[in-house]
Amino acid sequence: MEATMLEPRTLAPGDTVAIVSPASWPEDSVPGWIADQVESWGLRAVVAPHALDHRGYLAGTDADRIADLNNVIRDPAVRAVIASTGGCGSFRIAPLVDTDALRADPKLLVGYSDITALHCVWDAAGVPTLHGAIAGAHADHVRRLLMEGARTVVDADTRALSAELTTTGRVEGTLFGGNLEMLARSVGVVDLDLAGRIVLLEINRAAGLGIVDRALTQLRYSGALDGVAGVALGSIDQFADYEDRGWTILDTLRDHLNALGVPVLGGLPLGHIEDLVTLPLGTHAVLDVDHARLMVTAPTATDGV
C-alpha cells in the first residue's frame, strides 16, 4: 500500500520539540539530556509534565501519558515529538491518540522499540515518523532529517549476523515496520496494511526463539505480510550465541522469510544497538539488496531516491 503521506514541515531554528514518555519512564537524566541535544541544534525543547512520572513500569497513568501526547499533538508551536524511551505501555494509549489533530497538523514522532505501537498510529493517519533515537554516532543525522529534509542511505554490514539472511534483488515501496513483536501485537488493534511495502524488522532478544516464531506466524497468518515488497532486517547480534534445541535465530527467521519469497536485506544497523541509524517510516524507499543498501526519501520534503 502506497499510503497518502501528510508531510510535516521541515523544522527551522527556534522551533519547539516536545519530549514525552508514552511508555515506560526513563532514567531521570534522560529528558534533560535530550533537551540539551535538541537545543544544541538551535531548537527549543519542552519536557511534558508527566515525562518522569512512575507507576510501576509505566511513566504515570494512561490518562496522564495520553494527555501529554495529545497536548503536544494539538499544540501548533510543537513541530516534532521525541519519545524519551520505549519499554512498555504505548499500546495502552494507542487507540486514544487524537489522529484528527495529527492529520490537521502533521508532526514527526521519533522513537523505536515499544514506540512501534505509535508508529502504527501515525502511519494509519498518513503521517511519517522517524524510527530511531537521537543518541549515538548518528545523532546528527536526526538533526538533518528534522531540519534539512535529508534522505537516508544505510549500507548493510556483511559481517553482521542478520546479513546471513540476505537474498538478491531490488524493490521499491513505502518503508514501514519496527519492532517485530510490537508489529505482531498491533494486528487487530491498528489497521496494519503492508501490501506493496518494504517491511523494516528489528528484533530485541527479550525472549527465546519461540516468541520470534509466534510473532512472525501471527503476521503471516493474519495476512498482514501478504504482498509485501521486501524486508529490511536490522541487527540480531543479541542472539549470536543463543540456541534452542539445535536451532538458532537464523533458522527461525529463514523459515518465515523464505516463505514470503521477497528480497531480504540483512545486516542493517537498525534496532537495539548502540549506534543505530535513524530513518523515516512512511516514505518511499529503495531496497537494493544486490548492492547491500537501503535508501529512504526525506520525511519532510520531496526528495528523489
Side-chain angles (χ1 to χ4, degrees):
M1 178 183 70
E2 288 284 342
T4 301
M5 188 175 74
L6 303 172
E7 292 183 337
R9 71 166 174 82
T10 303
L11 274 64
D15 278 344
T16 299
V17 173
I19 301 159
V20 299
S21 299
S24 293
W25 44 267
E27 296 296 325
D28 288 353
S29 63
V30 169
W33 180 89
I34 295 174
D36 288 345
Q37 178 80 304
V38 165
E39 290 181 347
S40 75
W41 299 340
L43 300 169
R44 176 175 177 264
V46 295
V47 178
H50 301 285
L52 285 172
D53 284 5
H54 286 211
R55 183 175 182 265
Y57 47 77
L58 301 169
T61 65
D62 292 352
D64 286 341
R65 296 195 326 281
I66 190 60
D68 277 359
L69 185 58
N70 279 337
N71 284 341
V72 300
I73 289 173
R74 295 165 183 158
D75 186 346
V78 174
R79 302 317 317 153
V81 183
I82 297 176
S84 67
T85 191
C88 187
S90 294
F91 256 135
R92 294 173 61 129
I93 64 172
L96 304 174
V97 174
D98 189 345
T99 51
D100 288 339
L102 181 61
R103 291 187 189 99
D105 184 17
K107 52 195 71 177
L108 290 172
L109 169 71
V110 184
Y112 74 112
S113 193
D114 191 76
I115 307 303
T116 295
L118 298 179
H119 287 302
C120 289
V121 174
W122 255 248
D123 185 69
V127 180
T129 58
L130 297 181
H131 180 275
I134 68 168
H138 304 284
D140 190 63
H141 182 59
V142 183
R143 178 191 64 79
R144 296 182 61 242
L145 287 168
L146 291 171
M147 304 184 70
E148 297 179 4
R151 65 196 289 257
T152 304
V153 178
V154 189
D155 290 315
D157 181 355
T158 57
R159 300 164 299 175
L161 184 59
S162 63
E164 295 189 36
L165 296 166
T166 293
T167 61
T168 59
R170 182 183 187 276
V171 291
E172 299 186 30
T174 302
L175 181 69
F176 186 70
N179 180 265
L180 170 62
E181 185 184 1
M182 296 301 293
L183 288 172
R185 292 186 183 276
S186 74
V187 172
V189 180
V190 179
D191 182 16
L192 188 65
D193 185 355
L194 300 173
R197 295 177 149 201
I198 297 167
V199 181
L200 166 73
L201 293 179
E202 66 99 351
I203 305 168
N204 182 27
R205 189 188 146 184
L209 302 186
I211 299 300
V212 175
D213 183 65
R214 287 175 196 156
L216 284 165
T217 300
Q218 184 174 359
L219 287 171
R220 285 179 56 206
Y221 287 5
S222 69
L225 294 179
D226 289 354
V228 299
V231 176
L233 186 59
S235 173
I236 54 172
D237 287 346
Q238 290 183 0
F239 292 86
D241 299 316
Y242 185 79
E243 185 176 299
D244 186 348
R245 285 158 280 193
W247 257 26
T248 69
I249 186 66
L250 294 173
D251 297 307
T252 302
L253 290 174
R254 189 177 286 114
D255 236 23
H256 289 282
L257 297 180
N258 283 354
L260 297 178
V262 299
V264 175
L265 177 58
L268 294 168
L270 312 169
H272 288 71
I273 57 176
E274 184 174 354
D275 289 322
L276 76 164
V277 175
T278 295
L279 76 176
L281 299 177
T283 66
H284 186 76
V286 174
L287 187 73
D288 189 346
V289 180
D290 294 335
H291 293 91
R293 176 170 286 183
L294 173 65
M295 297 165 282
V296 193
T297 55
T300 57
T302 302
D303 180 19
V305 172

